[in-house]
Amino acid sequence: MNKRAALVLAAFTAASSLALVGCGGGSGGGTSGSSSPASSSGASSSAASSSAAGGGDAYGSGGSSSSGSSSAQAGGEVELKTTTVGGQKIIVDEKGMTVYYYTRDNKGATVSACTGGCITLWPPVISSESPKLDGVTATVGSIKTPDGKNQVTLNGMPIYYYQKDTGPGQVNGQAVAGVWYVVGADGTMITSALK
């Protein structure tokens, strides 16, 4: 029985690790928007989160998991505003939490390229209505998440939070795996280092 349980656990861990690999890394650049969203519910999400917390993967895990921003899960109306970090004017939500682009998303695509374990570390910015804007000049839109919620888009690109940003103005997700970048007030992707 113990040997069987160990084999099942090993197989489950391997499958979770494979699911996590598909969310980042590589040389950056876009991929086609043909990938279908994976389910992120139940045990597989927990395993993906646990696996991600254990080692450095391509989309920013490597330490212990943190609670991150709760705005992503709230689903109410989001306000997007600007703040200055490292000399750059970037977009944050009403709580000051930084938003990011994922370079593997395609502008104008109707689904996010961040699926499965990826959305555990990079939760989508969800808003029940069009976000209120303060200083943001980007064009706002939305796409549907796999569970039918409205993920906010800026200039046709979905935006995300990073779970390791635990306070206002943090930019811990900047340049993670060379595919995650903060968003400028006009919706441009800021790829320079932020200090």
Side-chain angles (χ1 to χ4, degrees):
M1 182 83 170
N2 287 338
K3 193 174 193 178
R4 184 175 181 191
L7 287 173
V8 169
L9 180 60
F12 190 69
T13 301
S16 297
S17 296
L18 287 174
L20 291 174
V21 170
C23 190
S27 59
T31 61
S32 69
S34 62
S35 62
S36 59
S39 170
S40 64
S41 63
S44 63
S45 178
S46 297
S49 178
S50 297
S51 177
D57 60 47
Y59 53 86
S61 68
S64 61
S65 201
S66 66
S67 60
S69 79
S70 58
S71 299
Q73 307 307 325
E77 185 179 6
V78 171
E79 178 182 349
L80 297 176
K81 58 185 184 175
T82 61
T83 193
T84 302
V85 175
Q88 297 281 349
K89 190 176 277 195
I90 66 168
I91 298 178
V92 296
D93 71 3
E94 68 279 0
K95 295 179 181 177
M97 302 305 292
T98 305
V99 302
Y100 296 87
Y101 281 144
Y102 182 36
T103 61
R104 295 194 174 188
D105 281 320
N106 290 313
K107 186 175 182 176
T110 59
V111 295
S112 167
C114 180
T115 61
C118 179
I119 58 177
T120 301
L121 286 172
W122 299 93
V125 177
I126 302 294
S127 187
S128 59
E129 299 177 21
S130 184
K132 293 179 182 176
L133 303 178
D134 182 4
V136 176
T137 58
T139 303
V140 178
S142 68
I143 60 173
K144 290 290 184 187
T145 63
D147 59 357
K149 294 179 181 168
N150 292 322
Q151 180 174 3
V152 178
T153 63
L154 295 173
N155 292 351
M157 293 280 287
I159 57 173
Y160 308 84
Y161 295 108
Y162 184 40
Q163 283 292 341
K164 292 188 178 188
D165 286 344
T166 57
Q170 291 183 354
V171 290
N172 297 316
Q174 179 67 351
V176 166
V179 294
W180 295 96
Y181 295 99
V182 298
V183 183
D186 62 355
T188 58
M189 184 181 299
I190 298 174
T191 57
S192 58
L194 301 173
K195 296 179 183 180

